[in-house]
């Protein structure tokens, strides 16, 4: 009886770390990607007004994710950038309303808040390790696209 109990305890000690590692969520971040102004035009073809760079900067923030306050700040920066680029208050307000309504972390979309992480992260601050991951991946993207220009035609 004692030998069987010892064997069970030994197996439990061996298997516990394996089980815990299997349950741990991965904190690996995907490289940055952008589709410009998701589900919205990147520019006016007739007037040549272009706000795609505003969307790219916004996508960097959404890819990184973080808290609800950080999302609001990113959305407000998008609104201000579009207004500066186009001088069109109605357009900037429409885009702000769109990202507020459809950009939350609870939608299973490729443009949701925190889309660089696995779905389900919701609103939470990045750990120091996650900040470093995001910084390295952002630097890699900027090295390939230093002007942060939209590459869509």
């Amino acid at each position: 009886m004692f030998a069987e109990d010892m064997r069970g305890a030994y197996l439990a000690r061996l298997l516990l770390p394996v089980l815990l590692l299997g349950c741990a969520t991965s904190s690996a971040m995907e490289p940055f990607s952008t589709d410009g102004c998701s589900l919205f035009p990147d520019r006016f073809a007739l007037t040549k007004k272009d706000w795609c760079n505003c969307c790219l900067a916004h996508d960097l923030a959404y890819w990184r994710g973080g808290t609800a306050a950080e999302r609001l700040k990113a959305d407000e920066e998008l609104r201000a950038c579009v207004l500066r680029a186009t001088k069109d208050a109605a357009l900037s307000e429409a885009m702000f309303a769109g990202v507020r309504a459809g950009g939350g972390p609870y939608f299973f979309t490729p443009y949701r808040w925190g889309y660089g992480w696995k779905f389900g992260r919701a609103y939470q601050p990045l750990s120091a390790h996650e900040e470093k991951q995001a910084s390295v991946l952002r630097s890699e993207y900027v090295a390939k696209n230093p002007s942060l220009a939209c590459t869509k035609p």
Side-chain angles (χ1 to χ4, degrees), residues 19-96:
L19 291 173
L20 290 175
L21 284 173
C23 293
T25 58
S26 171
S27 64
M29 188 176 208
E30 295 293 322
F32 176 70
S33 63
T34 181
D35 63 356
C37 301
S38 309
L39 304 178
F40 200 85
D42 296 335
R43 60 191 57 83
F44 282 137
L46 296 176
T47 64
K48 305 295 183 199
K49 288 183 180 179
D50 189 322
W51 54 87
C52 188
N53 290 353
C54 301
C55 295
L56 192 148
H58 187 252
D59 282 356
L60 278 165
Y62 262 58
W63 163 78
R64 178 192 173 276
T67 66
E70 289 171 310
R71 177 175 170 230
L72 177 59
K73 181 179 183 235
D75 293 346
E76 289 170 339
E77 288 173 357
L78 172 68
R79 177 174 53 190
C81 183
V82 171
L83 183 59
R84 281 191 308 274
T86 67
K87 311 293 187 257
D88 188 332
L91 174 66
S92 66
E93 289 300 327
M95 291 182 72
F96 179 76

Side-chain angles (χ1 to χ4, degrees), residues 2-14:
F2 179 74
E4 288 176 18
D5 289 342
M6 290 303 292
R7 247 185 313 203
Y10 179 73
L11 284 174
R13 279 186 287 182
L14 283 177

